[in-house]
Amino acid sequence: MGVSENTTGLILAVASNAFIGSSFILKKKGLKRAGASGTRAGVGGYTYLLEPLWWVGMVTMILGEVANFVAYVYAPAVLVTPLGALSIIISAILAHFMLNERLPRMGVLGCVSCIVGSVVIVLHAPQEQPLNSVEEVWNLATQPAFLIYVAATISTVLALVLHFEPRFGQTNMLVYLGICSLMGSITVVSIKAIGIAIKLTLDGINQIAYPQTWLFLTVAAICVVTQLNYLNKALDTYNAAVVSPVYYVMFTTLTIVASAIMFKDWKGQDASSIASEICGFITVLTGTIILHSTRDQEPPPSRGTVTWYVRGDSFKNLDGEHLLNIHESEER
């Protein structure tokens, strides 16, 4: 008996998240090194592009994303996306050993919850609905319900970028991660459309000539570049062990919503299977929240220290009093 498409997608998703979880840590270490010798990414710097370790992490992430891309071709987003919990577990464990970011016992419980929830989702995941051309995908993408979702997503992203990022980007990671997650949900459905087009083309049904294929490719490229930019800012500004689970929760939730609206993943499933998937997803979310709540926040970047030396017996810095009293000498 041959391997089912869902099983193929499952194997690819697991491999993908192993790469992606490792890439978070490699990129974080690269960003730290780059920030020590130049302008940090969190404040608009790009010196990390000269750091080899960041590129190792980037290549690792690309390998993971390629495997993830192929996984979406074979399995529905409802199955593939929640398995991103595995990357959280891997990044949390590696952060403990490589970045000295503490993983307490409750964090281990969070990891176990993610695994249990993922298993429940895998056991009750729906079978992929067959699509025979990129035009069919385009028809799904131009449904009124999905167009409303896209319009709401673009409006929210523009508000976050233009209004909230300049004011709250350095103090609230939900700004950066909100942009990443919203764009990511559009990325996934675009990537799935591209994957279907490639798969059909390899099967002898040419989809390259359709303009919809190139439109999906353009949308995916724009979304991926935007995601990477703001994910770098989030990683450079906040604790990697906090960024990973929060990003996962937001990205997974929005992706499942987008996929359910566009592809109708749950169509044909009975109520018990859908309820089991939702319970599994909630279990995974609970695990990520536990991981988030048990990790230490990364301290804000140092502002530097300016020391004032007065008469050889006292000094102040910027964190102390801002007014120095200089006593006149008794000698006139």
Side-chain angles (χ1 to χ4, degrees), residues 69 185-195 216-217 219-220 223:
F69 167 82
S185 66
I186 303 298
T187 300
V188 168
V189 295
S190 300
I191 288 294
K192 190 171 182 67
I194 296 166
F216 281 125
L217 183 61
V219 171
C223 291

Side-chain angles (χ1 to χ4, degrees), residues 22-293:
S22 302
S23 75
F24 269 108
I25 306 306
L26 294 172
K27 289 174 67 180
K28 177 71 173 183
K29 288 184 70 70
L31 288 167
K32 281 181 173 291
R33 288 185 183 179
S37 59
T39 306
R40 297 170 51 249
V43 293
Y46 293 94
T47 53
Y48 62 84
L49 294 175
L50 302 177
E51 174 57 50
L53 187 59
W54 184 87
W55 282 106
V56 172
M58 189 65 187
V59 171
T60 305
M61 175 171 276
I62 290 172
L63 290 174
E65 293 296 348
V66 169
N68 205 42
F69 167 82
V70 181
Y72 278 112
V73 176
Y74 288 97
V78 173
L79 169 62
V80 176
T81 308
L83 291 179
L86 300 178
S87 71
I88 300 173
I89 296 170
I90 292 169
S91 65
I93 293 173
L94 291 179
H96 178 76
F97 292 104
M98 297 178 65
L99 298 178
N100 296 320
E101 296 178 358
R102 192 171 58 90
L103 179 63
R105 293 180 180 178
M106 286 299 293
V108 176
L109 176 61
C111 292
V112 173
S113 296
C114 290
I115 294 172
V116 171
S118 297
V119 170
V120 173
I121 291 171
V122 168
L123 293 176
H124 297 89
Q127 292 295 319
E128 180 76 314
Q129 299 295 325
L131 294 168
N132 299 314
S133 74
V134 75
E135 286 186 319
E136 289 186 22
V137 182
W138 178 254
N139 290 335
L140 294 174
T142 53
Q143 300 172 96
F146 189 70
L147 289 177
I148 292 173
Y149 176 83
V150 171
T153 296
I154 294 174
S155 300
T156 305
V157 168
L158 288 175
L160 289 171
V161 171
L162 299 177
H163 178 76
F164 290 97
E165 185 199 354
R167 295 169 174 80
F168 308 109
Q170 294 293 305
T171 58
N172 191 330
M173 68 179 170
L174 295 181
V175 175
Y176 292 145
L177 297 184
I179 297 170
C180 292
S181 302
L182 287 165
M183 298 300 284
S185 66
I186 303 298
T187 300
V188 168
V189 295
S190 300
I191 288 294
K192 190 171 182 67
I194 296 166
I196 291 170
I198 293 174
K199 182 182 178 183
L200 291 171
T201 300
L202 294 176
D203 289 340
I205 307 173
N206 188 10
Q207 302 295 304
I208 305 300
Y210 289 101
Q212 292 93 332
T213 301
W214 298 101
L215 180 59
F216 281 125
L217 183 61
T218 301
V219 171
I222 294 172
C223 291
V224 167
V225 170
T226 304
Q227 279 181 267
L228 288 177
N229 182 41
Y230 286 97
L231 183 57
N232 280 332
K233 291 185 177 184
L235 284 172
D236 190 50
T237 307
Y238 303 100
N239 192 316
V242 174
V243 170
S244 299
V246 175
Y247 177 48
Y248 165 79
V249 170
M250 297 175 67
F251 171 74
T252 302
T253 302
L254 290 169
T255 297
I256 289 177
V257 169
S259 182
I261 293 173
M262 179 171 170
F263 292 103
K264 299 179 175 60
D265 290 326
W266 287 327
K267 185 178 180 179
Q269 278 200 298
D270 56 44
S272 62
S273 295
I274 295 174
S276 297
E277 290 172 51
I278 293 174
C279 289
F281 182 50
I282 292 173
T283 303
V284 172
L285 292 185
T286 301
T288 58
I289 291 171
I290 292 173
L291 276 172
H292 170 52
S293 63

Side-chain angles (χ1 to χ4, degrees), residues 311-331:
R311 284 189 172 269
D313 58 2
S314 65
F315 58 88
K316 301 284 185 180
N317 58 33
L318 289 180
D319 293 323
E321 297 179 10
H322 295 283
L323 178 62
L324 296 177
N325 295 320
I326 302 178
H327 299 284
E328 295 184 0
S329 172
E330 293 180 358
E331 298 179 4

